[in-house]
Each structure stands twice: as structure tokens, then as C-alpha cells.
């Protein structure tokens, strides 16, 4: 009996580790995905901070409306007030919103500045080109590496070794993930080949339009290894909903090994990296 319970606990831990390993949308989600970058942590903080203003103001207005509806209805107030001016009210509803907006504006501008100010020079630059309905990635390295990333079809899961739906979810898993090193600034140059798309990675706190003939620049510094999912976030045609983005964050050594192998054998490099990272997560759960 104890062995059965121990096995069940180990299996549960393994599944929990796998679920945490892949940052992705979940059913009935009402908040942000877990932050994997410092910028996303700031965005999450600002969202919670702003709620301390939004919720009380919303409740106050609701109570005020209810009071006015009941107190000044025709049956209870047959003779309407003819007051046209009240200095105190004018001052309060002018100064109050100004003070509130200042408390919101200062951290908002600080966050906006941080989003456009990388802490250091980017160690890696990748060009991401949106197509209907997939992405082309080009690594701006000494020997450039280019490949296409498209949504993984159900009949291709077995061949790719991506049958675990918890790690490689339906409509989000891709055949070739973007691979980047952990704790390094990565610059993404975003454009499109046909119509307007949008490159969005919620766990990283990045999102920008991919516009034909124009290059938009974003950056991120992933602080946690793992597999992260995003999607095209600009309506781009009939298959807009089937244009996911997957980024695998690995150690420097794993990244360098993958990059060297990918230039001659991308499928083999992907499978070797996937086997190493997935096995490490399962082993950690077992411990």
C-alpha cells in the first residue's frame, strides 16, 4: 500500500513539474502566466497595484449611482434641486482624479522606460518573420541559422516525440521551437512577409506588431529555464488561431551544443535537446 501511495505521489509531483515547466494558458485562467522575466514581474506588480485604485473607484461610483437613483427618484424627490454650482464638489472631483492619475502615471512611465531599456547589450539577435500562418526564425550569428516554426499537427506528434500533451499542448506545440540561453538579453527583430501579425510571449511580457516592410525591435531576458508559449496576437486571416510561438530557454552549454548541431541537422539537434531537458525535469520531479 505504501509503495502504491509513494508511486502516486511521485507521479503527481512529476505531472506538477511538467505543468510548471511549460508556461502556457490554462482553463479558466483569470491572471497572468507566471513571470519568466524581470519585465513581466514588473507588469504583474503594476497590474496588482492599479487594482488598488480601480476596485475602490468602481465600488464608489456604483454606490454613488445607487444612492442617486434611490434618493433623487421622482416619488421621493418631487421638487428637484436647482443647485448649479458647489465649489467644494468642483475642487474634490478635479483634484482627486489628478492625484490618482499621478499615482498611476509615475510607475507606468517607469515600466514603459524599462521595457525600452535593456540592462545590457544583447548577446543574441534573432529575426522573426510572420507568415500566414507560421514563423521564420533567423539567428544573426557568425554562421546564420534559419528555420521555420509551424503548429504541430496531431498526426506528427509521435514522429516528433511530442506526445505529452501537458508539455506540448494542442494548438500551441510547434515542430521547431526558438531556442535561447537563460539569463542573457535576446533581441528580437520582428517583421512580416504578407499581412500584419503580432509576436507575443505573455510569460516574457513582450508583444509587438509584425508589419510587412518594417522591423520592430523587442528584447527579453529569460530568468528561468523552460518551455514557453505565445501566439500571434493580430488578426491575420482564417488560420490566425493556429499560429503559435514556442520558445525553449536552456543553459548556455545546452544552447551552444544545440546551435552547433542545428546548423547541420536541425531535427536531430532539437530531439537531442528535447530529450535532455525533458529527462532533467522528470528526474527532478522524481527526487
Amino acid at each position: 500500500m505504501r509503495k502504491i501511495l509513494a508511486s502516486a505521489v511521485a507521479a503527481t509531483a512529476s505531472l506538477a513539474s511538467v505543468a510548471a515547466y511549460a508556461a502556457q494558458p490554462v482553463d479558466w485562467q483569470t491572471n497572468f502566466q507566471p513571470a519568466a522575466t524581470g519585465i513581466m514581474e514588473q507588469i504583474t506588480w503594476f497590474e496588482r497595484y492599479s487594482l488598488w485604485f480601480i476596485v475602490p473607484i468602481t465600488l464608489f461610483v456604483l454606490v454613488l449611482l445607487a444612492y442617486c437613483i434611490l434618493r433623487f427618484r421622482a416619488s421621493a424627490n418631487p421638487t428637484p434641486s436647482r443647485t448649479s454650482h458647489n465649489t467644494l464638489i468642483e475642487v474634490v472631483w478635479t483634484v482627486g482624479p489628478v492625484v490618482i492619475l499621478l499615482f498611476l502615471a509615475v510607475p507606468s512611465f517607469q515600466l514603459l522606460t524599462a521595457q525600452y531599456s535593456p540592462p545590457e547589450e544583447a548577446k543574441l539577435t534573432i529575426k522573426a518573420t510572420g507568415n500566414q500562418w507560421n514563423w521564420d526564425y533567423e539567428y544573426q550569428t557568425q554562421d546564420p541559422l534559419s528555420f521555420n516554426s509551424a503548429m504541430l499537427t496531431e498526426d506528427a506528434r509521435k514522429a516528433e516525440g511530442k506526445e505529452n500533451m501537458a508539455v506540448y499542448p494542442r494548438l500551441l506545440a510547434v515542430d521547431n521551437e526558438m531556442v535561447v540561453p537563460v539569463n542573457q538579453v535576446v533581441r528580437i527583430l520582428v517583421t512580416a512577409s504578407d499581412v500584419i501579425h503580432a509576436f507575443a510571449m505573455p510569460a516574457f511580457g513582450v508583444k509587438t506588431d509584425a508589419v510587412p516592410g518594417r522591423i520592430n525591435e523587442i528584447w527579453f531576458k529569460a530568468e528561468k529555464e523552460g518551455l514557453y508559449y505565445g501566439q500571434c496576437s493580430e488578426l491575420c486571416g482564417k488560420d490566425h488561431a493556429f499560429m503559435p510561438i514556442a520558445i525553449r530557454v536552456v543553459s548556455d552549454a545546452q544552447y551552444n551544443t544545440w546551435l552547433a548541431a542545428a546548423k547541420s541537422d536541425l531535427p536531430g539537434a532539437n530531439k537531442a535537446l528535447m530529450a535532455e531537458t525533458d529527462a532533467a525535469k522528470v528526474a527532478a520531479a522524481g527526487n
Side-chain angles (χ1 to χ4, degrees):
M1 185 66 179
R2 290 181 179 178
K3 291 183 178 180
I4 295 176
L5 290 175
S7 299
V9 170
T12 303
S14 177
L15 290 174
S17 174
V18 169
Y21 168 56
Q24 58 185 272
V26 297
D27 292 341
W28 303 102
Q29 186 171 10
T30 58
N31 50 11
F32 293 129
Q33 292 183 19
T37 66
I39 289 296
M40 190 59 205
E41 289 178 353
Q42 294 182 52
I43 293 174
T44 302
W45 175 87
F46 183 70
E47 184 256 351
R48 294 170 180 169
Y49 171 79
S50 62
L51 284 177
W52 284 100
F53 295 89
I54 295 172
V55 172
I57 291 172
T58 302
L59 293 177
F60 173 73
V61 172
L62 180 62
V63 170
L64 192 61
L65 284 172
Y67 172 78
C68 291
I69 291 172
L70 296 174
R71 173 65 180 80
F72 300 106
R73 67 188 188 277
S75 59
N77 191 53
T79 305
S81 171
R82 296 183 179 277
T83 303
S84 61
H85 181 76
N86 186 298
T87 302
L88 178 60
I89 293 178
E90 294 285 349
V91 171
V92 169
W93 74 30
T94 300
V95 175
V98 169
V99 172
I100 292 171
L101 288 175
L102 281 174
F103 275 96
L104 291 172
V106 172
S108 176
F109 290 149
Q110 291 175 335
L111 174 58
L112 187 63
T113 300
Q115 289 179 306
Y116 286 93
S117 305
E120 58 195 50
E121 185 64 27
K123 301 294 180 61
L124 173 64
T125 298
I126 302 174
K127 182 179 180 182
T129 303
N131 314 300
Q132 290 180 312
W133 288 270
N134 51 70
W135 293 91
D136 288 328
Y137 298 134
E138 181 180 340
Y139 284 63
Q140 308 291 308
T141 54
Q142 186 172 2
D143 298 317
L145 168 66
S146 301
F147 59 86
N148 181 265
S149 178
M151 188 184 74
L152 188 67
T153 59
E154 295 304 305
D155 56 358
R157 282 184 174 275
K158 186 174 182 180
E160 294 286 341
K162 297 180 178 179
E163 298 176 279
N164 188 336
M165 297 290 284
V167 178
Y168 304 102
R170 179 176 176 270
L171 303 184
L172 288 176
V174 301
D175 51 2
N176 300 309
E177 296 94 3
M178 178 192 295
V179 180
V180 300
V182 70
N183 290 323
Q184 289 194 16
V185 175
V186 179
R187 178 192 293 117
I188 307 293
L189 305 177
V190 182
T191 188
S193 63
D194 37 43
V195 299
I196 298 178
H197 303 277
F199 187 95
M201 183 55 61
F204 294 174
V206 297
K207 177 182 177 183
T208 191
D209 282 344
V211 183
R214 176 176 177 177
I215 293 180
N216 289 327
E217 180 178 327
I218 56 175
W219 67 274
F220 61 81
K221 184 178 181 180
E223 300 173 350
K224 301 175 183 177
E225 295 182 29
L227 185 57
Y228 301 91
Y229 293 103
Q231 291 175 293
C232 173
S233 298
E234 186 73 39
L235 186 61
C236 57
K238 69 180 184 66
D239 285 342
H240 162 67
F242 310 107
M243 193 174 169
I245 301 165
I247 299 180
R248 190 185 293 272
V249 181
V250 298
S251 67
D252 286 342
Q254 290 172 330
Y255 168 74
N256 291 330
T257 300
W258 171 85
L259 183 63
K263 292 177 180 180
S264 58
D265 181 13
L266 179 62
N270 285 341
K271 288 185 177 180
L273 179 61
M274 184 176 65
E276 183 178 358
T277 55
D278 290 359
K281 291 297 177 180
V282 173
N287 293 331

